[in-house]
Amino acid sequence: MTMHPDGKDEEIAAILDARAGQSALAAGADQSSERPEVRDLLKAADFAWASQQSAPPLADDPVAAMLGLVPDSELELDGKALSSARKNVGLTVSVLAQRLAARGWEVTSRDIFAWESGKNLTHVPALINALAEETAVDADRLRRQSGGDPERARLAVIVGSEAFKGLAQRWARIQGTTVALAASALESRMLVAVHRGGAPEADVLLESIEALVDSVEGAEGAEGS
């Protein structure tokens, strides 16, 4: 079929109407080979068509929401409750991770250790439900309101303080790392202290971190003298 300048739009429209699920470029191969500008237009049409066929973002997908796959910002996994439930049924962290993987979840032992330590808590309802089924408890026992851990809320206040930021900068210099990594390391030390019991006050936690930084800086100074 010969392409005439006056009928270019009509020819392209006919190609798009007749493509039946295939690419416009393939459907109009005969015509586009004769006219480079037509090939370019069909490529653009393919790009626009493909972008409309992709799945919606997870947060906007009603099916994903119905299946509990969309993270719920208001709820999170209760790591301590998970640890207790897992131990009650005699599951090791690695076995629980394997069972979740068998269900199709990309979860590792490291993830579970982090959750039970109160870190990177999942907000995915379906995953919390799967954890509940594997540990033989009601799912409500494994979830709580986001930010519901008072210990972590108290730590968040400390980490946001200027005093802590200053300590993180000093620790980053000592360790030769970034301030972000240094802050994370110091926060982990405070979290360990909190979970050991006693729930020390914010000023006590800061003083312990400052003592650590001072001691390491002092050791460095002694070595350099």
Side-chain angles (χ1 to χ4, degrees), residues 2-179:
T2 302
M3 175 69 75
H4 300 289
D6 293 341
K8 181 174 66 174
D9 292 345
E10 289 77 6
E11 296 290 354
I12 291 176
I15 291 171
L16 296 179
D17 289 341
R19 64 180 169 181
Q22 64 178 319
S23 78
L25 196 59
D30 292 341
Q31 297 94 313
S32 64
S33 63
E34 300 175 8
R35 298 282 295 276
E37 66 272 24
V38 173
R39 175 176 289 273
D40 290 341
L41 287 171
L42 293 180
K43 283 182 178 179
D46 277 344
F47 180 80
W49 178 79
S51 66
Q52 294 173 356
Q53 308 310 305
S54 60
L58 187 62
D60 299 330
D61 189 335
V63 176
M66 181 180 66
L67 295 175
L69 299 175
V70 178
D72 185 341
S73 62
E74 296 184 358
L75 295 174
E76 66 186 12
L77 174 68
D78 186 329
K80 288 184 178 180
L82 172 62
S83 177
S84 176
R86 176 182 62 77
K87 293 172 182 176
N88 283 342
V89 293
L91 289 179
T92 64
V93 168
S94 59
V95 169
L96 179 56
Q98 291 169 7
R99 291 191 177 185
L100 291 172
R103 287 171 171 258
W105 294 101
E106 295 182 2
V107 171
T108 65
S109 296
R110 181 178 298 180
D111 293 323
I112 297 174
F113 275 123
W115 295 339
E116 294 188 357
S117 298
K119 302 176 184 176
N120 305 322
L121 296 170
T122 181
H123 294 260
V124 179
L127 177 51
I128 295 175
N129 290 343
L131 287 164
E133 290 175 7
E134 293 296 345
T135 56
V137 296
D138 189 281
D140 286 339
R141 290 184 56 187
L142 295 188
R143 53 177 163 245
R144 67 184 182 201
Q145 291 294 316
S146 295
D149 185 344
E151 295 172 353
R152 291 200 65 83
R154 186 154 53 89
L155 283 183
V157 173
I158 297 173
V159 170
S161 69
E162 291 301 319
F164 180 85
K165 292 176 183 177
L167 291 170
Q169 290 172 354
R170 290 167 60 188
W171 192 247
R173 182 189 60 77
I174 294 169
Q175 299 296 318
T177 186
T178 65
V179 174

